[in-house]
Amino acid sequence: QQQVKQSPQSLIVQKGGISIINCAYENTAFDYFPWYQQFPGKGPALLIAIRPDVSEKKEGRFTISFNKSAKQFSLHIMDSQPGDSATYFCAARDSGSARQLTFGSGTQLTVLP
Amino acid sequence: GAGVSQSPSNKVTEKGKDVELRCDPISGHTALYWYRQSLGQGLEFLIYFQGNSAPDKSGLPSDRFSAERTGGSVSTLTIQRTQQEDSAVYLCASSLVQGGTEAFFGQGTRLTVV
């Protein structure tokens, strides 16, 4: 059972545009929601993360919006750059004993120059 | 090294052979995770180690998969009698403590079963 649903699967944005990636979850036990960025041939790297007690977190050009009642969260990349072209994964951490991250299926972002 | 190190970076094996994948976590990190990333898919949790506690094996897809962590540091993921559907990138991650807010990933081992 997929616990974190991510969309779109792929996204093409012009340089300077806004990239928006959405995720939805079902498990109310999730207590931490990170986004990871992965370049080809590399492992995922933490980009930005949010806890459910806040509705928005901004770090530079990256913003997470979190809607606890709807069980949805999204990543916004402002002023998208070609260097942002990568695969983005949303994730959620279980508050239970294992604390492993459950990942979405990923979004391949291409920012055109 | 400063990061999570995985070896080999690439492995091609024949169907039915056993393979071992290695992960060296960041020094001092007590939590270690293995994930599998199939082409175009997200990351599938396999197994988790925390200190000297019994590992959480709930994500292992079959009894052909096993993992150990020696001395609370290096971990080895073993796949016996490999099948073509085992082809994927196997990622290891470590964090400072159980459920630590940042999990650091290695760059993975790309396994191809032919």
Side-chain angles (χ1 to χ4, degrees):
Chain A
Q1 179 184 5
Q2 184 181 9
Q3 296 192 51
V4 180
K5 295 183 179 181
Q6 183 172 348
S7 63
Q9 186 175 11
S10 63
L11 181 62
I12 299 175
V13 175
Q14 293 285 340
K15 178 182 176 182
I18 302 173
S19 304
I20 301 175
I21 305 171
N22 300 298
C23 284
Y25 63 97
E26 300 169 357
N27 187 349
T28 56
F30 290 146
D31 67 351
Y32 172 70
F33 301 88
W35 284 88
Y36 280 79
Q37 180 187 56
Q38 185 179 30
F39 292 105
K42 303 293 186 182
L46 180 67
L47 184 64
I48 187 172
I50 197 168
R51 296 186 185 276
D53 54 348
V54 298
S55 60
E56 185 176 284
K57 183 174 183 179
K58 182 177 181 179
E59 290 183 2
R61 295 185 294 109
F62 301 91
T63 300
I64 299 179
S65 297
F66 187 84
N67 186 329
K68 186 175 181 178
S69 61
K71 292 187 284 187
Q72 296 176 347
F73 59 110
S74 60
L75 175 69
H76 291 64
I77 306 175
M78 311 299 289
D79 188 25
S80 299
Q81 300 297 312
D84 297 331
S85 297
T87 300
Y88 292 80
F89 293 95
C90 62
R93 185 181 66 188
D94 197 315
S95 60
S97 60
R99 309 285 276 172
Q100 74 265 26
L101 290 167
T102 300
F103 285 83
S105 56
T107 296
Q108 186 169 353
L109 172 65
T110 302
V111 181
L112 301 176
Chain B
V4 177
S5 178
Q6 292 188 244
S7 60
S9 54
N10 283 283
K11 176 71 176 180
V12 179
T13 190
E14 293 181 353
K15 177 181 175 181
K17 299 286 189 182
D18 298 351
V19 295
E20 287 188 352
L21 312 180
R22 177 186 169 103
C23 173
D24 282 273
I26 293 173
S27 178
H29 280 195
T30 60
L32 186 149
Y33 306 81
W34 283 97
Y35 286 85
R36 179 169 68 176
Q37 184 175 25
S38 300
L39 184 64
Q41 300 297 312
L43 281 72
E44 174 190 8
F45 168 73
L46 296 178
I47 189 170
Y48 146 84
F49 296 89
Q50 171 55 41
N52 295 320
S53 301
D56 177 353
K57 305 179 182 180
S58 61
L60 294 179
S62 78
D63 59 7
R64 296 186 296 104
F65 288 72
S66 64
E68 63 178 17
R69 188 178 184 191
T70 56
S73 181
V74 173
S75 177
T76 302
L77 177 68
T78 300
I79 309 173
Q80 297 178 308
R81 306 181 302 281
T82 53
Q83 303 295 313
Q84 288 187 332
E85 60 263 28
D86 299 334
S87 297
V89 175
Y90 290 82
L91 290 159
C92 174
S94 70
S95 65
L96 189 59
V97 296
Q98 177 184 355
T101 53
E102 182 165 5
F104 294 84
F105 282 84
Q107 59 185 44
T109 294
R110 179 175 297 278
L111 175 66
T112 304
V113 182
V114 298

